[in-house]
Amino acid sequence: MKQIDIYIYTVSHSRGRGPAVFRAVLEFIRADGKPYTLDVNGGDMETTINRITIKAAVTALRRIKLNQPYEIRIHADCDYFERMLKAARVYAEHDWKTKAGKEIANADLWKEVYIFKKTNHVTADSDLLERYECKDELEDKLKLWKYMS
């Protein structure tokens, strides 16, 4: 099974809702044996740090061709993402609702992540995040976003 690593970096200056930006780096080995990286970037003017992390994962996952199963490791500094990814199957079986019957937060994005999880081995951790350090770059991008709005 081919392996893809996705490194997710996010920056937000708000504890609740506010602007946030992300960078996701996909790293894999091409068919010719050469290593390859692909950058995807984005952001949102009104979001939470948890939601922007899931959005970064979805944006990166959409760049993967689904012609065969992969081992996908998502590296992100977000405990929420790691916990929810592990529980995604259970939430999917319960129509993306909590035990109390309330829809889980960010269900729209989790449904997209789950599509990949059903056909691939997808895990999450907070390892190796120093690999593509970009905090300063993202801080600058967030300042620019705030200035432009």
Side-chain angles (χ1 to χ4, degrees):
M1 187 179 301
K2 290 185 179 180
Q3 181 176 315
I4 299 173
D5 285 282
I6 300 172
Y7 302 88
I8 295 176
Y9 305 91
T10 58
V11 172
S12 173
H13 292 161
S14 174
R15 288 183 158 254
R17 297 188 70 77
V21 293
F22 72 83
R23 176 183 183 208
V25 180
L26 290 85
E27 183 181 79
F28 55 93
I29 304 297
R30 288 183 154 175
D32 62 7
K34 294 182 182 178
Y36 184 76
T37 59
L38 176 67
D39 270 299
V40 292
N41 298 279
D44 200 326
M45 289 304 294
E46 188 66 25
T47 191
T48 64
I49 198 67
N50 289 340
R51 185 167 178 83
I52 201 71
T53 302
I54 307 164
K55 185 175 182 177
V58 167
T59 303
L61 289 167
R62 286 179 182 163
R63 301 300 303 262
I64 298 171
K65 294 179 181 175
L66 292 177
N67 57 353
Q68 63 180 331
Y70 296 97
E71 179 180 337
I72 302 170
R73 294 187 306 192
I74 301 174
H75 309 278
D77 190 15
C78 183
D79 293 336
Y80 165 78
F81 183 83
E82 195 171 340
R83 277 192 326 272
M84 289 297 290
L85 183 66
K86 287 178 184 174
R89 182 185 55 79
V90 173
Y91 284 117
E93 289 172 356
H94 292 95
D95 201 27
W96 303 99
K97 295 191 182 338
T98 64
K99 287 182 181 179
K102 182 180 175 189
E103 186 172 277
I104 66 165
N106 307 305
D108 58 326
L109 294 174
W110 282 116
K111 289 173 185 177
E112 289 194 59
V113 171
Y114 189 66
I115 291 168
F116 286 88
K117 191 165 173 56
K118 286 191 318 186
T119 56
N120 300 281
H121 182 251
V122 183
T123 59
D125 60 48
S126 58
D127 297 340
L128 305 172
L129 285 173
E130 68 282 351
R131 190 163 194 138
Y132 296 98
E133 182 54 50
C134 59
K135 184 172 173 64
D136 292 341
E137 171 191 327
L138 287 176
E139 289 281 354
D140 291 345
K141 186 180 283 191
L142 185 60
K143 286 176 190 172
L144 182 63
W145 272 47
K146 284 181 173 181
Y147 177 75
M148 291 175 59
S149 63

